[in-house]
Amino acid sequence: MIELRNVSKSYGRSGTMPALAQTSVLFERGQFVWISGPSGSGKSTLLGIGALLLRSDSGDVIFDGKKVDAEGSSERDRLRRRSVGIVPQSSRLFPELTASQNVMLARRRSSVVDAVSALDRVGLGEFAHRKTKTLSGGQQQRVSIARALAKKPAAVFADEVSSSLDDQNAESVYRLLRALADDGRIVVAASHDHRIEAFVTSRLMLESAT
Ligand code: ADP
């Protein structure tokens, strides 16, 4: 369980650019939560705080019963590395490396067997030894998800994963994210793509901060 209680965050030298104000949300295992809202409403900021990548200015982040803000940043980093899989906005794969090599980069001590198993989970086992530059956009996005899954995270956070994909590829990515939630993980996706709606279990709508 990950809970954000009244979290706020501003950017700028003296915190003059509010990005997120007094926001509370509870993410539970088995949920696939869609964070929606216009551009600039704080979706990525909320995702970053929940994924323990960003620190809020105020409020509490509680991760499996533990107040994370009370911890030092090294403890937060350790918790994120162990428990959180992050699927970045644009696929950051190495095109000349194979799918399994890309997945193996996610962990310090990783094996080909684990990488192929993560690729199997996203339906790409047979593409494990293909260079990622030869895969379609949808397949590449699924390799990114496999990379996030390689450490068997309790929670997966995805930022605008499939806005640029065609309907068929977007659907396969959303179906996969839903299956990961059905397996008992927390899955949170920030997106302005309404095609995701049919696959999520709940939605959090952010409003423009200004
Ligand atoms: P969204 O994902 O909904 O587009 P963001 O969380 O990216 O929203 O941004 C919320 C607000 O915070 C925007 O006004 C954005 O310009 C600002 N912002 C986001 N990241 C930074 C940053 N690193 N430095 C300064 N301002 C930022």
Side-chain angles (χ1 to χ4, degrees), residues 94-161:
F94 292 95
E96 295 293 339
L97 296 184
T98 65
S100 57
Q101 286 167 336
N102 269 286
V103 172
M104 284 170 72
L105 288 174
R107 287 176 67 196
R108 230 174 276 154
R109 284 182 293 278
S110 57
S111 71
V112 180
V113 175
D114 283 348
V116 174
S117 141
L119 286 162
D120 264 335
R121 183 67 192 81
V122 303
L124 289 177
E126 63 187 298
F127 296 96
H129 305 298
R130 287 256 302 263
K131 287 187 179 180
T132 49
K133 70 175 183 188
T134 68
L135 302 178
S136 73
Q139 288 169 333
Q140 290 186 21
Q141 199 54 266
R142 276 149 68 199
V143 174
S144 289
I145 295 172
R147 192 164 58 175
L149 282 180
K151 57 183 170 185
K152 304 183 176 70
V156 173
F157 287 82
D159 199 353
E160 294 291 353
V161 269

Side-chain angles (χ1 to χ4, degrees), residues 11 17 19 38-45:
Y11 295 100
M17 295 155 67
S39 180
S41 59
K43 298 185 295 298
S44 298
T45 301

